[in-house]
Amino acid sequence: MIGVGKIKQYSNVLDKPLSKGKQEVSSSAFAFLFSELVQYNQTQVDNIAELERRLEDAGYAVGARVLELLCHRDKGNRRETRLLGILSFVHSTVWKVLFGKVADSLEKGTEHEDEYMISEKELLVNRFISIPKDMGTFNCGAFVAGIVRGVLDGAGFPAVVTAHFVPMEGQHRPRTTILIKFGEEGDVSLSLLYTA
């Protein structure tokens, strides 16, 4: 019989399995697209804080989608319900899918009980960016902070997530630290979610 093989036909696109193949985008293609995103948003704003907020909003949408994809693909539609579990998930699984490696470190803040930090020596979004002196403290890591916030919000752990440069001794470029601060309002919304 010609044309009859072992290829399974799917009646619905949602029934097709997600491929787990290694699907990478070249660094130069990503750098070009990301620089266009930054340049476009730069023309739409008047100050650095607004530009970082717009990048964070764009990252938030990515983070929400990444969470859905990874929960469906890797966890059988199950999500983390523990704080340390979701932070470990972001630090390892999400980071590896987005950047090809696990983040350099995940640390608990020493000054506040509800703060955590994910640090990266050379964050991909800052690698190919040169910041003019007139833009001072602008950090493209705001996009990644938005991704982290999108993942945490989608998992039911609302937090304030910001990106900061931290100077390192002996290094020309500072490392980027994603600061995650879980607030009391997040704790209240979680308790309401689980009591309902």
Side-chain angles (χ1 to χ4, degrees):
M1 297 162 113
I2 298 176
V4 177
K6 293 186 178 182
I7 298 174
K8 187 174 180 180
Q9 297 295 324
Y10 295 100
S11 60
N12 187 346
V13 71
L14 297 175
D15 294 334
K16 290 183 181 179
L18 293 171
S19 72
K20 284 194 172 192
K22 195 166 192 165
Q23 307 213 354
E24 294 181 1
V25 175
S26 75
S27 296
S28 58
F30 174 79
F32 175 73
L33 288 173
F34 187 72
S35 71
E36 288 298 314
L37 174 70
V38 172
Q39 288 176 30
Y40 171 76
N41 283 307
Q42 192 175 3
T43 63
Q44 306 296 312
V45 299
D46 296 326
N47 58 41
I48 295 169
E50 183 67 19
L51 177 57
E52 286 180 343
R53 189 197 59 75
R54 287 180 69 114
L55 287 176
E56 184 181 342
D57 289 346
Y60 183 90
V62 172
R65 287 172 178 86
V66 164
L67 175 69
E68 291 295 323
L69 175 67
L70 292 177
C71 284
H72 181 72
R73 178 187 289 170
D74 296 338
K75 295 183 164 262
N77 289 328
R78 292 177 300 153
R79 294 191 185 179
E80 283 292 338
T81 57
R82 299 177 340 259
L83 180 63
L84 291 178
I86 193 66
L87 288 171
S88 177
F89 176 73
V90 170
H91 168 261
S92 58
T93 307
V94 171
W95 223 263
K96 196 168 193 172
V97 165
L98 294 177
F99 305 116
K101 67 181 195 79
V102 174
D104 291 339
S105 69
L106 171 63
E107 304 166 17
K108 185 174 175 67
T110 56
E111 294 179 15
H112 299 284
E113 195 67 24
D114 58 351
E115 284 185 353
Y116 294 86
M117 297 169 280
I118 297 175
S119 296
E120 186 71 35
K121 287 181 186 167
E122 195 171 334
L123 193 62
L124 181 63
V125 296
N126 287 330
R127 187 177 302 160
F128 303 109
I129 300 292
S130 59
I131 300 169
K133 291 189 191 283
D134 64 324
M135 294 189 74
T137 61
F138 173 64
N139 189 342
C140 289
F143 181 74
V144 177
I147 292 173
V148 172
R149 189 170 65 89
V151 169
L152 292 173
D153 268 2
F157 294 93
V160 175
V161 184
T162 53
H164 304 277
F165 284 127
V166 177
M168 292 174 35
E169 271 188 49
Q171 298 290 328
H172 175 65
R173 298 185 70 139
R175 74 176 179 189
T176 303
T177 297
I178 307 297
L179 180 65
I180 305 164
K181 182 164 177 53
F182 297 97
E184 292 175 13
E185 64 278 350
D187 296 339
V188 171
S189 66
L190 283 175
S191 64
L192 291 174
L193 178 71
Y194 290 115
T195 57

